[in-house]
Amino acid sequence: MRKDFQIALLCAVATVPASFAVSIAFEYFPYLKAHLGGAFYVNLFLALLLLGTASVIAIKGEREAERAGAKRRMVPLVGMIFFGTGFVLCAIWFFTSKPPEPSKEAQSNAPVEPGAKTPEEKRRVFVPPELTPERLLGFFEQNTTMQATELTKDRIGQWIRITEPLGNVGAFNGYFVHVSFEKSGRGSIYCLFRNPKDIDRLKILKQGDPISIEGQINRIEPYVLNLDNCEFAESAPR
């Protein structure tokens, strides 16, 4: 077998182990994995440089072969090198690319198994059922303000479910609606509704209508419990 055919055959076969080695190199060399962009451009530049060099050599070889009366064999060799390099680059792309993540809409429309919690509900931490608004406000009756604030500080940011008669609904200010319940027990409860759908529902309610809501505890003060991000319990994530 002639030398040029041997070189072409070896170059073509060498692309198989080379592509496999390159595809798993990122698992063994953390530096490469952390700089995938740089590694891609460096290898792309080297590949183009080698292809350009091979093309120049092939063209010169063709001209010399024409003068000597030999058959053209260098152009097929360049084709082998070109497609072999393309195979290596495609192998890198295949083994290092990640599958696309599902969109938020697809995640929200995904079926939920009975009893399973949604991601939104997993992020919500609720106070124990026995910690009613009356009991939370009761800390300020049985202790000093400093002591009660210390005892209830861990509840700030947690969620609570409340069912009470509606007191008043304030005007929408472009950001939220201020809602209060009928005063009873140890103090007052104030909620901020931000969800447009819940705000539309508030427009048709009257004072004294019983409503069930879920809200995030914002502040606990003497005689006042402030909730934010409130939603009707029926529309809250389950």
Side-chain angles (χ1 to χ4, degrees):
M1 185 181 292
R2 298 179 63 87
K3 294 293 183 182
D4 52 354
F5 282 107
Q6 293 179 13
I7 294 173
L9 181 62
L10 290 175
C11 288
V13 174
T15 58
V16 177
S19 62
F20 179 76
V22 172
S23 66
I24 64 175
F26 301 101
E27 300 297 330
Y28 290 93
F29 300 98
Y31 180 83
L32 293 177
K33 197 171 185 179
H35 300 81
L36 289 178
F40 170 78
Y41 287 111
V42 168
N43 283 279
L44 181 61
F45 173 77
L46 291 176
L48 294 175
L49 179 63
L50 291 174
L51 283 174
T53 304
S55 300
V56 171
I57 295 174
I59 293 173
K60 290 183 178 180
E62 289 290 339
R63 292 174 180 174
E64 293 176 0
E66 287 179 355
R67 288 194 295 267
K71 295 182 179 180
R72 300 183 178 184
R73 296 192 181 97
M74 298 305 295
V75 173
L77 177 60
V78 174
M80 293 181 185
I81 297 174
F82 178 80
F83 289 110
T85 304
F87 177 78
V88 173
L89 294 177
C90 290
I92 296 174
W93 182 16
F94 176 79
F95 285 103
T96 58
S97 60
K98 296 181 179 180
E101 296 182 359
S103 63
K104 292 184 178 179
E105 183 179 356
Q107 292 178 354
S108 61
N109 294 332
V112 180
E113 297 180 1
K117 293 184 177 180
T118 63
E120 176 67 21
E121 188 176 19
K122 290 179 180 179
R123 290 194 293 268
R124 293 187 176 184
V125 178
F126 285 84
V127 299
E130 59 270 15
L131 278 181
T132 61
E134 289 76 14
R135 294 198 65 175
L136 287 173
L137 295 174
F139 283 104
F140 289 88
E141 292 184 357
Q142 304 162 4
N143 304 277
T144 65
T145 300
M146 179 182 289
Q147 292 171 336
T149 302
E150 183 68 22
L151 291 171
T152 58
K153 67 178 184 180
D154 291 339
R155 305 304 173 186
I156 304 298
Q158 294 185 352
W159 291 74
I160 188 170
R161 294 184 178 94
I162 297 176
T163 300
E164 295 285 348
L166 179 65
N168 190 31
V169 179
F172 180 58
N173 63 2
Y175 301 97
F176 58 81
V177 168
H178 190 274
V179 175
S180 63
F181 291 93
E182 288 187 351
K183 190 171 183 179
S184 63
R186 292 189 166 95
S188 302
I189 304 172
Y190 298 105
C191 304
L192 297 183
F193 280 78
R194 302 178 184 273
N195 190 313
K197 293 183 179 179
D198 289 329
I199 292 175
D200 288 339
R201 183 175 173 183
L202 288 169
K203 295 177 181 178
I204 62 175
L205 297 179
K206 297 181 179 180
Q207 290 184 347
D209 287 346
I211 61 173
S212 297
I213 65 102
E214 292 181 1
Q216 189 174 22
I217 299 175
N218 186 25
R219 293 196 310 274
I220 307 175
E221 301 172 340
Y223 307 107
V224 178
L225 175 62
N226 290 282
L227 307 178
D228 200 350
N229 302 314
C230 296
E231 297 176 331
F232 286 100
E234 309 91 88
S235 61
R238 292 297 176 202

